[in-house]
Amino acid sequence: MLYAMARKTANDDPLAPVTLAVGQEELLLDRAVREVVVAARAADADTDVRELTSDQLQPGTLAELTSPSLFAERKVVVVRNAQDLSADTIKDVTAYLGAPAEEITLVLLHAGQAKGKKLLDAARKAGAREVACPKMTKPADRLAFVRQEFRATGRSATPEACQALVDAIGSDLRELASAVSQLVADVEGTVDEAVVGRYYTGRAEASSFTVADRAVEGRAAEALEALRWSLATGVAPVMITSALAQGVRAIGKLSSARGGRPADLARELGMPPWKIDRVRQQMRGWTPDGVAVALQAVAEADAGVKGGGDDPGYALEKAVVAVARAARSRGRG
C-alpha cells in the first residue's frame, strides 16, 4: 500500500488520457490531481487546468472543454465528485472515454461507492489509469502513511517517533503531512520520539490515544484529565471512543493469543512488535469478563457521542471510568 501518494495501477503515466482517482481521502485525491497537473505543465508550461464539480459538468460541457483548439493547447480537466454526475452527463463522459482527445487529460475523482458505479466501471473498462485514495480509518494505515512521508523526503524517523506523531496529531492526514514537513525542515538527522515530544507535547497529552492508554492501564484520574483536555482542545468525541475500543480490543486479542516472541505475535495479531510489548504491560489487571464489560461500555459511549445521548462528554467519562475499573478486575476477582 502506497501512502505518500495513493497506490496506482500498472499504467503509471500521469499524462494518460484518463486518470481515475477513487476514494474519499481528500489529501490523496488532491495529490492525485496535483501529480497530473505538474506532469502536464512540465510538458507544456501553458497547460490550461479546468476544475469542475459534478453540478458544473452538464450534458455537452465535456465536449466543449475537449474540442480541438486552434492553438493545440494542452488541457487538464478535473471533475470532482464524479459519482454525483447526472445520468445524461455520465453518457457523455462514457462516450468520451471510448475516444479521448489528444493533448487532453481527464481526471475523474470518484468516491468509489455504489453511487455512480456505472461511470466507475466504464472508466476501468476503458483502461483509465487508476489511483486509489482510500480513507485511512485504521491507526496502522496512518502510521504507514507517516513512515512513507518521511521516506519520501529522504529522511529517517524511529518507529517510536512515527507512533508518537500519530498519537499526537490524530487522523487528519493533512496535519500529519504538515507535521512531517515541519520536523524534516527543522531537525537534522533521524527524528526520534524526544523530538516529536518537544514539538507536540500539548497535543500528545491531549490525544485520544493518551486517554485510551491511561484508561486501559486503570489510571482513571489521569484518563479523565486527558479526556477533558482532549475535548477542550477540539478532539472529536468519536475519535476517543475509537481509541478506547482499539485499546480494549488489543488487550482482548493479546490475552487470548498463544505465548510467543513479540515478532511472532505481531504477525499473528497484525500489530507492530513494539505495540505487543506495550499491550503486555497494560493487560496485567484484565480478565476476559473485564474486556467484555469494557467493550460494552465503549459501545454505549459510541452510541451516545453519535447522537444517542444528550451529553457526549458525560458518555465518554462513564466509558473511561468503566474501562479503568475493568483494567483492575483481576485484582477484585
Side-chain angles (χ1 to χ4, degrees), residues 139 142-143 146 159-171 176 193 196 200-211 213-214 230 235 239 243 246 274-275 278:
R142 295 191 287 272
L143 183 60
V146 168
E160 293 80 9
C162 293
Q163 184 62 49
L165 197 58
V166 172
D167 289 349
I169 301 298
S171 60
L176 285 169
E193 188 175 13
V196 174
Y200 299 101
T201 296
R203 295 191 63 165
E205 290 174 357
S207 76
S208 54
F209 290 102
T210 300
V211 177
D213 283 342
R214 298 299 84 80
S230 292
V235 176
M239 286 182 59
Q246 290 170 35
W274 64 264
K275 188 168 184 179
R278 176 185 290 183

Side-chain angles (χ1 to χ4, degrees), residues 24-31 80-81 133 135 174:
Q24 299 177 59
E25 189 59 70
E26 291 296 329
L27 173 67
L28 299 184
L29 291 168
D30 287 346
R31 286 185 175 184
R80 294 186 177 271
N81 300 314
C133 307
K135 196 74 176 175
R174 292 185 191 279

Side-chain angles (χ1 to χ4, degrees), residues 53-78:
T53 57
S54 57
D55 59 328
Q56 292 174 321
L57 191 68
Q58 298 295 318
T61 304
L62 184 61
E64 293 176 10
L65 290 173
T66 58
S67 59
S69 166
L70 292 175
F71 303 102
E73 64 181 356
R74 181 179 289 278
K75 284 184 183 178
V76 174
V77 178
V78 180

Side-chain angles (χ1 to χ4, degrees), residues 27 31 145 149 172-182:
L27 173 67
R31 286 185 175 184
F145 172 81
E149 288 290 290
D172 191 313
L173 289 200
R174 292 185 191 279
E175 291 195 27
L176 285 169
S178 176
V180 170
S181 296
Q182 180 180 10

Side-chain angles (χ1 to χ4, degrees), residues 76-286:
V76 174
V77 178
V78 180
V79 181
R80 294 186 177 271
N81 300 314
Q83 72 278 357
D84 295 329
L85 292 171
S86 68
D88 288 340
T89 304
I90 287 177
K91 289 180 183 178
D92 278 4
V93 177
T94 301
Y96 176 83
L97 294 174
E102 292 185 10
E103 302 299 312
I104 304 289
T105 300
L106 176 64
V107 184
L108 300 173
L109 275 56
H110 194 294
Q113 299 174 331
K115 187 177 183 181
K117 189 173 184 299
K118 184 176 180 181
L119 177 60
L120 197 62
D121 292 342
R124 286 169 171 163
K125 186 176 180 180
R129 168 182 179 258
E130 186 168 344
V131 183
C133 307
K135 196 74 176 175
M136 295 188 187
T137 58
K138 297 179 180 179
D141 289 344
R142 295 191 287 272
L143 183 60
F145 172 81
V146 168
R147 289 172 176 163
Q148 179 62 22
E149 288 290 290
F150 278 113
R151 283 196 292 268
T153 67
R155 296 287 297 279
S156 60
T158 66
E160 293 80 9
C162 293
Q163 184 62 49
L165 197 58
V166 172
D167 289 349
I169 301 298
S171 60
D172 191 313
L173 289 200
R174 292 185 191 279
E175 291 195 27
L176 285 169
S178 176
V180 170
S181 296
Q182 180 180 10
L183 289 168
V184 166
D186 293 355
V187 179
E188 295 183 359
T190 300
V191 176
D192 59 21
E193 188 175 13
V195 169
V196 174
R198 287 200 300 273
Y199 273 75
Y200 299 101
T201 296
R203 295 191 63 165
E205 290 174 357
S207 76
S208 54
F209 290 102
T210 300
V211 177
D213 283 342
R214 298 299 84 80
V216 299
E217 290 162 4
R219 295 154 65 179
E222 293 176 44
L224 287 171
E225 181 182 0
L227 169 64
R228 289 159 189 156
W229 196 349
S230 292
L231 295 175
T233 55
V235 176
V238 70
M239 286 182 59
I240 298 172
T241 56
S242 175
L244 285 168
Q246 290 170 35
V248 176
R249 289 193 191 108
I251 298 286
K253 288 168 68 174
L254 188 56
S255 62
S256 62
R258 292 170 295 178
R261 297 178 304 167
D264 296 331
L265 286 170
R267 285 191 294 271
E268 180 184 344
L269 302 178
M271 298 181 191
W274 64 264
K275 188 168 184 179
I276 297 291
D277 292 334
R278 176 185 290 183
V279 176
R280 272 180 168 162
Q281 295 172 1
Q282 293 174 333
M283 64 184 283
R284 290 171 184 161
W286 285 87

